Amino acid sequence: MPEGYSLLQSILLSGAFLKNPVKSVSNSMHRFAGTYTAAIGFKRKLILTQDPAFIRHVLQENHKNYQKSPIATEAARYLGYGILFSNGAFWLQQRRLIQPAFHREKLQGLQAVIIETIKESIAKCPIGNAVDLYPFVHGLSFRMLLRSIFDVPLTPDIIAEIGQLFADIQEFLIKDTNQPVRRLWYPVTGEQRTTSRKAHRLRAIIGDIIHQRKSSGESTGDLLDMLLHSTYEDTGERMAEEQIIDEVLILIFAGHETTANTLSWLLYLLANNPPALKQLQSSLIDTSVQDALTNECLKATISEAMRLYPAAWMTERVAIEADRFGPYSFPGGTIIIPFFFGLHRDEQIWENASVFDPERFMPGGKATRSKNYFPFGAGPRMCVGNHFAMTEMCFFVHAFLTEFEIQSTGHTPAMKALITLRPDQVILHSKRKVSNKGSL
Ligand code: HEM
């Protein structure tokens, strides 16, 4: 086992962790040179690591010995067993079924609805001397994803209700994971029952949309169509309706905040780095929104934002059998936490690690083929929606910067490390360009 904290030390540290998880883990990484243990019981330990070789060992090279830990699978009680929370043969079967929908050619069919959604929403973007752009970006990301899954008109009330139910369930899950002692009080507070009721309501809404689609007999080419029509390789059967609901919930859960947070951090970084903003703006002149997908400067800028602020700031796995890595050996059942945030800012790995420098991801740049960069994870469980997310983000940034000018207000967003790494407000000067013809 690596060096680390005893049970008593881990308990004492939990306060600092809850207050600021990223800072607390970063400090410990510094103290223990990039890998350490924390106790989660008399016998059970977590290993936290930002060592890229160790992370690759767990996620890629020896991935068969690792699965999602109870930290993640507990969420399945409320959000179902979609691919993010399932394991083993069932996960593989579902992944094989879902992955083709996210191939580049298939995504072309979704481009029009993504652009349409941006077009509708961008007209409502708040402008002013000090506006918090986070709620706008969050709402737009949610609508882009929802329309890609269900390309049918949903009433504003239903969209708002889905958003609220997700937010409530997510908030419960964060508290439940970070403060397990609260579970003792659930029979009294009724929080668990309330959350289960909300999860039921969410499933009922998704179920209704599926029934409407089935009874209409229409095929709109959205992600729901793909889930409804794909068949298992071995049996040729279609997915059961309850499983389709699980997978829809997972796509919304995994694809919503990740994109919203990345885009929000990106706007903050650009506003605070005028040369990078200027270079990106120049690369967009006289280009169409479709050109955004092949704009190297734009893709490099997004990649660099994900280096400094990886939406998935950490992940987790549990070892099935005992394993070794380098000098460490550990028993089956050990939970490993790859800490992507720390790795992406490690000064021994990244030159001027804290500097926002999109050049490093430009073709031929030092980071283009980095093995130490995991914004979308790695190995067979790497993000299934990564190309989709890049498509949404490229279109959004192109449309936004063509329409608006942004400037820093000097405000630095605090990092809220929840399930994803969220900026606590992105307060910028934002104004509409004077002679703008629009890109959409
Ligand atoms: C900037 C946006 C995004 C980021 C940074 C991101 C990041 C990640 C990461 C790091 C993982 C791997 C987690 C692990 O290994 O434990 C992951 C998995 C996943 N992502 Fe994303 N994601 C993004 C957008 C999306 C979108 C838009 C979708 C779907 C529409 C999506 C769907 C998923 C799913 C279903 C998984 C689970 C894959 C599996 O376990 O087989 N993600 N994502």
Side-chain angles (χ1 to χ4, degrees):
M1 276 280 184
E3 266 190 283
Y5 299 111
S6 66
L7 181 56
L8 182 61
Q9 287 170 320
S10 303
I11 293 169
L12 292 175
L13 257 178
S14 61
F17 176 83
L18 286 178
K19 209 166 152 203
N20 190 338
V22 168
K23 188 169 166 203
S24 160
V25 178
S26 297
N27 288 344
S28 299
M29 286 294 173
H30 196 67
R31 174 171 170 193
F32 294 108
T35 299
Y36 70 97
T37 56
I40 48 167
F42 288 106
K43 291 204 173 141
R44 237 169 149 201
K45 296 220 166 186
L46 294 174
I47 301 178
L48 295 97
T49 184
Q50 63 180 52
D51 173 347
F54 198 174
I55 293 177
R56 282 195 298 273
H57 174 81
V58 171
L59 299 184
Q60 270 176 316
E61 287 141 20
N62 199 22
H63 70 87
K64 288 204 168 127
N65 189 42
Y66 290 89
Q67 57 182 21
K68 289 279 172 155
S69 77
I71 299 176
T73 49
E74 182 63 20
R77 272 176 185 238
Y78 307 95
L79 291 170
Y81 288 87
I83 54 170
L84 185 66
F85 299 140
S86 51
N87 276 320
F90 181 68
W91 164 77
L92 185 60
Q93 184 190 37
Q94 291 302 111
R95 174 95 193 192
R96 285 194 178 137
L97 204 65
I98 290 167
Q99 190 150 309
F102 287 94
H103 284 165
R104 280 176 208 271
E105 327 75 74
K106 283 274 167 62
L107 291 182
Q108 278 178 3
L110 295 174
Q111 289 180 8
V113 287
I114 298 174
I115 294 173
E116 184 64 27
T117 312
I118 296 173
K119 193 171 158 183
E120 282 162 14
S121 304
I122 216 144
K124 297 173 199 142
C125 177
I127 44 175
N129 277 337
V131 286
D132 178 9
L133 287 176
Y134 186 73
F136 165 73
V137 177
H138 190 262
L140 171 50
S141 306
F142 187 56
R143 284 191 294 278
M144 281 196 284
L145 180 59
L146 222 53
R147 267 198 72 185
S148 305
I149 299 175
F150 313 118
D151 188 15
V152 285
L154 297 176
T155 64
D157 284 352
I158 284 291
I159 297 178
E161 189 178 359
I162 299 176
Q164 193 56 51
L165 289 166
F166 259 104
D168 293 351
I169 295 171
Q170 219 159 299
E171 198 182 315
F172 169 82
L173 288 174
I174 291 159
K175 288 189 196 151
D176 183 72
T177 310
N178 288 347
Q179 297 157 267
V181 72
R182 290 166 58 92
R183 289 175 195 166
L184 295 173
W185 297 99
Y186 289 161
V188 182
T189 61
E191 277 172 90
Q192 196 173 31
R193 270 194 312 276
T194 311
T195 309
S196 296
R197 266 203 301 275
K198 289 182 176 172
H200 268 103
R201 172 70 189 139
L202 198 48
R203 298 185 76 83
I205 297 176
I206 310 284
D208 279 351
I209 300 173
I210 295 175
H211 288 150
Q212 281 167 24
R213 171 69 54 86
K214 278 184 172 168
S215 56
S216 77
E218 276 177 27
S219 184
T220 58
D222 57 13
L223 290 172
L224 177 61
D225 263 357
M226 168 286 291
L227 292 172
L228 285 169
H229 298 302
S230 39
T231 50
Y232 292 110
E233 251 171 29
D234 47 353
T235 59
E237 282 176 17
R238 293 201 168 152
M239 226 188 293
E241 193 168 306
E242 285 300 307
Q243 190 57 35
I244 296 182
I245 297 178
D246 284 354
E247 299 300 353
V248 164
L249 289 176
I250 283 309
L251 293 182
I252 301 176
F253 180 75
H256 167 216
E257 290 232 342
T258 41
T259 311
N261 294 352
T262 305
L263 287 173
S264 302
W265 284 116
L266 175 61
L267 293 184
Y268 157 73
L269 286 165
L270 284 171
N272 283 277
N273 290 276
L277 175 59
K278 205 167 164 206
Q279 192 184 3
L280 179 56
Q281 275 167 330
S282 312
S283 79
L284 301 178
I285 293 172
D286 291 334
T287 64
S288 73
V289 72
Q290 293 287 347
D291 295 333
L293 299 179
T294 48
N295 181 324
E296 295 298 344
C297 182
L298 175 48
K299 289 192 283 179
T301 310
I302 296 172
S303 298
E304 177 67 343
M306 291 195 292
R307 182 184 69 81
L308 283 171
Y309 294 102
W313 56 285
M314 47 79 87
T315 190
E316 43 58 51
R317 293 289 190 273
V318 59
I320 300 169
E321 304 282 342
D323 195 12
R324 335 179 38 95
F325 174 76
Y328 315 130
S329 55
F330 40 91
T334 304
I335 293 179
I336 317 276
I337 308 279
F339 182 48
F340 300 132
F341 179 93
L343 166 60
H344 286 184
R345 289 176 178 235
D346 189 335
E347 289 285 348
Q348 287 170 13
I349 290 176
W350 301 88
E351 214 175 298
N352 298 323
S354 58
V355 174
F356 176 66
D357 177 14
E359 287 288 331
R360 55 177 116 226
F361 286 100
M362 289 291 272
K366 282 191 181 155
T368 39
R369 292 182 184 279
S370 177
K371 287 170 125 188
N372 307 321
Y373 177 65
F374 300 99
F376 292 112
R381 296 200 77 141
M382 189 172 170
C383 179
V384 79
N386 62 346
H387 297 307
F388 176 79
M390 281 306 279
T391 303
E392 288 181 304
M393 294 193 289
C394 285
F395 286 165
F396 170 82
V397 177
H398 188 287
F400 186 88
L401 291 184
T402 308
E403 203 92 6
F404 299 100
E405 277 172 26
I406 45 169
Q407 262 178 26
S408 168
T409 51
H411 169 261
T412 305
M415 284 187 273
K416 285 174 95 176
L418 307 169
I419 295 171
T420 57
L421 188 63
R422 184 193 296 179
D424 187 10
Q425 301 192 312
V426 179
I427 300 180
L428 301 178
H429 294 298
S430 158
K431 66 174 185 184
R432 208 169 277 276
K433 285 187 176 171
V434 185
S435 61
N436 153 59
K437 292 190 218 104
S439 68
L440 295 163

